[in-house]
Amino acid sequence: MRTHKSIRNVSVMFLTQFVTLALAFASRTVFIKTLGAEYLGLNGLFFNILGALSLAEMGIGAAVSYALYKPIAEDDREQIKSILAFYHKYYCLIGFFVIVAGCLILPFLPYLIKGEVTVPVNIYNVFLCFLANSAISYFFAHKRTIIDETQNKYLTTAIDFTVNTIVSIVQIIILWQFKDYMAFLFARILGTIIGSVIIYIFANRKFSYIKERAAELSLEARKKIWSNVSILFFHKLGAVVISGTDFLIISAFVGIEAVGVYSNYVLIVGTVTAFCNLFIMGADASIGNAIATLAKKDVYVVFRRMAFLIFCIGGISAVCLVNLLNPFIELWAGKDYLLSNAVVYVIVANFFFMQNRWLVIIFRNDAGIFRPDMYKPLIEIVFNLSLSIFLVRIYGTLGVLIGTLANTFFINIWVEMFIAHKHIFATSMAKYMKMYAVNAFVLLLSCGVSIYINCFIEPFVGKAAVSISVASAIYFLFFFRTEEFKYFVQLAKKYNFSIL
């Protein structure tokens, strides 16, 4: 049942992602043609500023998700109601805080942009639109959580997909017909409201008991949640600073147009990441259920299988990105939107390491292992910001990305890997390190062979065919005899690819 639900979640998310991808690129294409790089830069900059404000969440969402696994597994509805009521109360407070904090940032916006902004819109009004869109989600988050954590994430995915599809089409029409950036932003806000309300209503109907009056969460349970939150805050701080400052540093030291150019690469890599993460996010609740019900050795088997899947999917995707990112950008947006091959290599390297890192983080969060590395984010912040700010003055955008990659490789991967093996699996990480090393070698081999062959091929379709074929063939030759490969072959046969 656990495997079936994971596959169903992944299937729905995978199918909807294709249409979402097409619409995202259609919308971005129209955006580039009608508004240009400076507007793209504002989009990327303000999105990241609001990401920084999400620090106010402090990790409550992850702590609550962990607190829900046991009562959901035991169908303890009273405890579920109490936890959701607690969650809703504090998320509403966070939503109001984000609104106030965002308003306080308004006077400082010009200092975050190098040079003069020449777009004919009021940047303060633009920022307020981003702020409103971000704040809305906090007031409805608890309803989404009960659906997702009961292994029904495919439902929220379907709702999000439907609403986002309609909004994207409306936004494309607005840009194409009227070139109205503010109307473009208002359409997104309206879509966020409608999607949140639909999920709110759906959750009440599917889990009608959550509408009943909930008893106050016990002092012991609250203490446990706040204990985890106090630890998760540091992790949240690290994540926000590391992932949210690249655009800010590029904007402040290179310029807003550089942010716009880089944002296209972020969109493409983010889309590929979303596809890869479907296999993790769709199985998130099932991972939590496995940790709560299985022995450590069996949980490690689940982890190894998922790690193998992510290594292969992430590795083949990385090969394609190395070969196709710049050719695609040139075909899609034009030569003016290209970054150097060196930047592409760093972007792809960070993509590969982050894919495998996220799986470890999901297992750690679902197991509630937050304390052992609680101070690691403070080291990350100092290391990443210092290196990025130093290198951006020399190498520009490339320097910022090198700082982020160095932080991921030298600090995050090894610490998180050690903690997961010690506290969740109770085993040595030697086997996983060997798996990591082999996959890194296979990735480098696949990249080297495909890049060499693609030197003699001009058409984009030909480069794509070579990249996919070479990567798939090399990965198959290296791994077809492994237990993990055979497991997924049997799983595919069992469900006969009909999993809805």
Side-chain angles (χ1 to χ4, degrees), residues 59-70:
I60 292 176
V64 167
S65 293
Y66 172 67
L68 280 170
Y69 284 131
K70 185 176 180 180

Side-chain angles (χ1 to χ4, degrees), residues 45 112-115 246-256 259:
L45 175 63
L112 299 175
I113 302 172
K114 182 180 181 180
D246 283 358
F247 276 42
L248 294 175
I249 296 173
I250 293 171
S251 174
F253 288 90
V254 184
I256 196 69
V259 174

Side-chain angles (χ1 to χ4, degrees), residues 60-61 64 82-92 141-142 145:
I60 292 176
V64 167
S82 297
I83 292 174
L84 288 178
F86 171 88
Y87 188 25
H88 180 51
K89 173 184 176 181
Y90 283 97
Y91 252 50
C92 284
H142 63 301
T145 297

Side-chain angles (χ1 to χ4, degrees), residues 244-456:
T245 55
D246 283 358
F247 276 42
L248 294 175
I249 296 173
I250 293 171
S251 174
F253 288 90
V254 184
I256 196 69
E257 287 196 12
V259 174
V261 172
Y262 174 55
S263 70
N264 286 333
Y265 288 79
V266 172
L267 172 66
I268 296 170
V269 175
T271 301
V272 177
T273 298
F275 274 111
C276 295
N277 284 351
L278 293 179
F279 297 92
I280 302 176
M281 300 309 297
D284 188 5
S286 297
I287 291 171
N289 181 270
I291 292 172
T293 58
L294 298 180
K296 289 182 181 292
K297 64 177 182 178
D298 296 322
V299 174
Y300 188 56
V301 170
V302 174
F303 172 76
R304 290 264 303 178
R305 288 170 175 171
M306 291 196 66
F308 170 77
L309 183 65
I310 298 305
F311 271 127
C312 292
I313 294 172
I316 294 173
S317 299
V319 174
C320 293
L321 287 172
V322 162
N323 286 277
L324 304 176
L325 253 181
N326 268 350
F328 180 82
I329 291 287
E330 185 175 353
L331 281 174
W332 172 47
K335 291 185 177 180
D336 292 339
Y337 288 86
L338 286 177
L339 292 172
S340 68
N341 285 333
V343 173
V344 171
Y345 297 152
V346 174
I347 289 173
V348 174
N350 200 46
F351 160 82
F352 175 75
F353 289 126
M354 284 302 299
Q355 289 312 298
N356 302 292
R357 183 189 168 207
W358 276 122
L359 179 62
V360 176
I361 290 175
I362 290 293
F363 269 83
R364 185 201 67 189
N365 288 349
D366 289 353
I369 308 298
F370 307 124
R371 184 173 295 278
D373 62 342
M374 64 180 293
Y375 296 115
K376 173 177 69 70
L378 301 180
I379 300 172
E380 289 183 68
I381 291 170
V382 174
F383 178 82
N384 182 266
L385 287 182
S386 299
L387 188 59
S388 293
I389 292 174
F390 173 74
L391 292 177
V392 72
R393 299 174 184 274
I394 304 173
Y395 301 110
T397 300
L398 175 62
V400 178
L401 303 182
I402 289 173
T404 301
L405 175 61
N407 177 76
T408 300
F409 183 79
F410 290 111
I411 298 178
N412 285 321
I413 291 176
W414 306 107
V415 173
E416 291 161 355
M417 188 191 306
F418 172 77
I419 288 172
H421 282 77
K422 179 180 179 181
H423 295 279
I424 303 175
F425 312 126
T427 187
S428 168
M429 66 179 192
K431 289 184 179 179
Y432 183 66
M433 289 177 65
K434 180 181 178 181
M435 176 189 280
Y436 213 117
V438 170
N439 276 275
F441 171 77
V442 173
L443 172 63
L444 290 174
L445 178 63
S446 301
C447 286
V449 173
S450 58
I451 290 173
Y452 176 76
I453 296 175
N454 276 327
C455 288
F456 306 99

